Amino acid sequence: MNKLPIEHLEKVEAWGGASDGVSYVYRPSTVPELQKVVEFARQNGRTIGARGGGNSYGDAAMNDENILLDMRRMSRILDWNPSSGLITLEPGVTLSTLWQYVLEDGWWPPVVTGTMMTTIGGCAGMNVHGKNGWQQGPIGDHIRTFDMLLTTGEIITCDREQNSGIFYAAIGGFGMLGIFTSITIQMKRIYSGMIDVHFDISPNLEGMFSFFHENVEKSSYIVGWMDAFAKGKSLGRGDLHSATYLEEGDDPNPQQTMRLEKQHLPATLFGVLPKSMIWMFMRPFMNNLGTKMINTAKYNVGRFAGSSTTRTPHAAYHFLLDYVPDWKKAYGSTGLIQYQPFIPRDNALDAFKEMLTLCQKWDMPNYLTVLKRHRPDDFMLTHGLDGFSMAMDFRITKRNRADVTKLAHELDRIVLAANGRYYLAKDSTLRPETAVAYLGQETVDSFRRLKAKCDPDGLIQSNMWRRIFDD
Ligand SMILES: Cc1cc2nc3c(=O)[nH]c(=O)nc-3n(C[C@H](O)[C@H](O)[C@H](O)COP(=O)(O)OP(=O)(O)OC[C@H]3O[C@@H](n4cnc5c(N)ncnc54)[C@H](O)[C@@H]3O)c2cc1C
């Protein structure tokens, strides 16, 4: 293993800030430059990992003490057809660039994440889902084709017919088979820059599930927020936002509402507080007592306001989290981790109740809890199933780090007993045996075989690969 140029050495953090390391970071801007870095890694006996926007909560886009490819300079829009809605992108294009590029032609990305800072390469790498998972599936269901650089130097094209095995494994394959160099994806036609957002509350988890049940047919998106501190009859109480696209003709002036300036979120809160400062005001509340107060207040404000429907710009509905820049800083320097299990429909209610109760018993209630509905898909390492996911954010401190990990492993028992699955983009605690238990030995072996074919020398690695899948 040779020494690498010190000027490339950088500190790299998990998005949640609960772990960090150093890597030799390279930022290629063209395919030949990318090929050069891969060859350089081989010659110097180093492994190489890809990073998009670095929005994975844990160690998926980290490759400590080795080479990390920051893909954000490969961010060109290669082809756009405003009649068909097909777009071909370099992998470093962010969702932010993408929606702003297609909106005025009457299109919207079919699947978006809660932040627009993700790149299309990172979204394909994790096969991300949106608040419409039960309807539109993950982003992979909308990817038509991609080109991928293998560590042999070859660039292959993959779609549902050509190299289809690699197509279904690389999407959601957390960057372990090769580096995406271009991705073609189908956009969704829209007839307005606005979307009808309905707000409601539920007194408990049963009510949250009933809301989903009653609204999945008529809604385009649904998301639930839960107060993880509420107990007893109020366990799992929270707010719900469902949203429905406007039909053609519903918006009298779509050219106006689809203009970018109609989408932007306000720069201040209540017209005074710059949004860049909001996290500082959140910081003193980031403890059990403070968050309990905030959760109670949020629920009661919702109860007082009652149900309502508001016509909202797409960006404001989808990217609410971006409204508070750097909100994760409120968690302090030791950050947060997220735990997001996916549980089949029939088992989800009982499993989530048991999980919320267990967190309370351990005196480690999660500070932000989000409920979504999903559907199964055909990708090899999929997290998708006909059921629900519950995303749970845990604050990490020097004192509780080991206990949160222990708690996560206790939660794993509930997830596995309920035939649940995991989402690698959010993971920090999964153990190899748990991955085999939910994916099946056969699937893990098939993935390893494909990796050996695409990357015969095992050059592509990440901290996550070494933690969970390295043989
Ligand atoms: C605030 C917030 C909200 C979120 N909301 C959602 C949500 O609603 N739904 C959801 O599904 N996820 C959500 N996520 C998770 C996020 O969407 C995923 O982690 C996504 O993969 C991040 O994209 P990225 O560009 O930052 O990729 P990174 O995190 O940098 O990388 C993700 C994976 O892709 C691989 N990769 C990156 N680029 C390439 C490439 N060119 N070729 C091959 N592999 C590559 C990396 O090696 C890594 O394994 C959220 C994250 C945050 C921080």
Side-chain angles (χ1 to χ4, degrees):
M1 197 193 288
N2 297 333
K3 273 195 171 170
L4 298 185
I6 195 92
E7 61 272 21
H8 282 275
L9 207 53
E10 291 179 20
K11 182 179 167 188
V12 180
E13 273 197 345
W15 185 87
S19 63
D20 59 40
V22 285
S23 291
Y24 295 93
V25 180
Y26 286 78
R27 298 188 170 83
S29 70
T30 60
V31 173
E33 274 178 40
L34 179 63
Q35 283 168 316
K36 261 195 213 159
V37 185
V38 173
E39 197 39 44
F40 177 75
R42 177 193 305 288
Q43 282 168 5
N44 287 281
R46 298 288 181 153
T47 66
I48 191 161
R51 185 174 175 95
N55 292 282
S56 292
Y57 275 63
D59 53 2
M62 296 170 70
N63 192 23
D64 287 358
E65 285 157 38
N66 278 281
I67 292 176
L68 194 63
L69 291 163
D70 180 336
M71 298 299 294
R72 285 175 299 180
R73 287 180 69 212
M74 287 186 64
S75 56
R76 296 167 194 91
I77 292 167
L78 301 173
D79 190 44
W80 168 233
N81 183 336
S83 308
S84 66
L86 263 190
I87 192 160
T88 302
L89 308 160
E90 282 191 335
V93 171
T94 58
L95 281 188
S96 168
T97 302
L98 175 59
W99 76 257
Q100 296 189 61
Y101 193 80
V102 299
L103 180 66
E104 293 198 26
D105 288 328
W107 300 90
W108 185 258
V111 172
V112 295
T113 53
T115 171
M116 58 173 120
M117 304 306 166
T118 50
T119 64
I120 204 71
C123 288
M126 285 303 183
N127 205 10
V128 301
H129 56 267
K131 303 177 183 92
N132 53 356
W134 83 94
Q135 245 190 26
Q136 297 288 330
I139 199 159
D141 280 355
H142 307 273
I143 294 179
R144 290 286 180 84
T145 176
F146 61 76
D147 285 355
M148 189 168 80
L149 172 68
L150 307 184
T151 54
T152 55
E154 191 188 352
I155 294 181
I156 56 168
T157 299
C158 302
D159 57 32
R160 285 170 175 78
E161 275 85 46
Q162 209 182 161
N163 295 313
S164 65
I166 299 177
F167 180 85
Y168 285 106
I171 295 177
F174 64 111
M176 287 301 109
L177 301 189
I179 313 297
F180 298 119
T181 54
S182 84
I183 297 177
T184 300
I185 177 165
Q186 174 68 55
M187 297 292 104
K188 182 179 168 37
R189 174 60 88 192
I190 52 168
Y191 300 100
S192 171
M194 309 294 274
I195 187 162
D196 281 339
V197 181
H198 178 72
F199 171 81
D200 223 322
I201 60 147
S202 163
N204 51 37
L205 198 54
E206 280 84 355
M208 302 289 277
F209 274 66
S210 303
F211 183 92
F212 271 89
H213 186 66
E214 285 155 20
N215 288 280
V216 283
E217 292 291 324
K218 56 185 181 217
S219 303
S220 313
Y221 300 90
I222 309 181
V223 63
W225 161 86
M226 286 191 278
D227 171 7
F229 289 82
K231 294 185 175 169
K233 282 186 187 156
S234 300
L235 188 73
R237 72 181 181 185
D239 298 349
L240 289 139
H241 284 98
S242 60
T244 316
Y245 282 112
L246 273 64
E247 301 285 336
E248 193 169 9
D250 284 352
D251 182 347
N253 203 345
Q255 268 68 39
Q256 281 300 316
T257 57
M258 287 196 279
R259 283 173 53 197
L260 289 186
E261 58 267 40
K262 302 283 179 198
Q263 296 289 321
H264 289 303
L265 302 165
T268 53
L269 184 67
F270 309 127
V272 231
L273 183 63
K275 58 182 184 173
S276 57
M277 290 174 67
I278 297 174
W279 71 267
M280 294 179 210
F281 290 85
M282 290 163 63
R283 180 82 186 87
F285 294 96
M286 280 297 169
N287 48 58
N288 280 4
L289 183 63
T291 317
K292 185 177 178 177
M293 279 163 52
I294 291 180
N295 277 260
T296 307
K298 179 168 160 47
Y299 176 74
N300 284 313
V301 167
R303 199 164 63 143
F304 182 71
S307 53
S308 61
T309 302
T310 324
R311 203 154 274 193
T312 308
H314 286 280
Y317 174 67
H318 288 290
F319 306 121
L320 198 63
L321 286 173
D322 294 336
Y323 184 52
V324 185
D326 292 329
W327 58 266
K328 65 179 175 179
K329 283 190 191 165
Y331 279 84
S333 59
T334 37
L336 73 150
I337 64 162
Q338 192 178 94
Y339 186 88
Q340 185 183 15
F342 286 62
I343 308 278
R345 187 170 44 150
D346 291 343
N347 304 340
L349 178 60
D350 287 344
F352 290 162
K353 276 179 158 178
E354 202 181 336
M355 293 169 89
L356 289 170
T357 309
L358 187 70
C359 296
Q360 292 174 354
K361 208 163 122 196
W362 281 49
D363 201 21
M364 278 191 248
N366 37 294
Y367 286 4
L368 181 69
T369 316
V370 174
L371 190 65
K372 288 184 195 157
R373 183 83 171 84
H374 305 274
R375 76 178 186 196
D377 57 68
D378 296 328
F379 297 93
M380 191 182 257
L381 299 186
T382 184
H383 52 278
L385 42 67
D386 179 9
F388 292 83
S389 69
M390 181 166 76
M392 310 156 83
D393 287 5
F394 293 96
R395 182 181 173 208
I396 298 295
T397 63
K398 278 186 190 137
R399 282 178 55 197
N400 80 359
R401 184 182 290 268
D403 286 341
V404 174
T405 305
K406 253 193 234 163
L407 173 62
H409 294 157
E410 286 301 312
L411 295 171
D412 287 348
R413 286 178 206 239
I414 303 172
V415 176
L416 293 181
N419 288 325
R421 306 184 77 86
Y422 292 86
Y423 181 28
L424 297 176
K426 305 296 184 67
D427 179 65
S428 297
T429 58
L430 202 64
R431 292 173 291 182
E433 60 272 26
T434 315
V436 168
Y438 87 86
L439 288 166
Q441 189 65 54
E442 175 70 33
T443 304
V444 173
D445 290 345
S446 302
F447 188 75
R448 284 199 184 117
R449 277 196 298 273
L450 263 185
K451 177 159 170 62
K453 194 171 143 196
C454 296
D455 177 26
D457 300 323
L459 224 57
I460 303 187
Q461 293 194 15
S462 65
N463 291 7
M464 173 169 272
W465 168 260
R466 288 186 285 273
R467 172 166 62 89
I468 308 175
F469 292 101
D470 199 2
D471 207 1

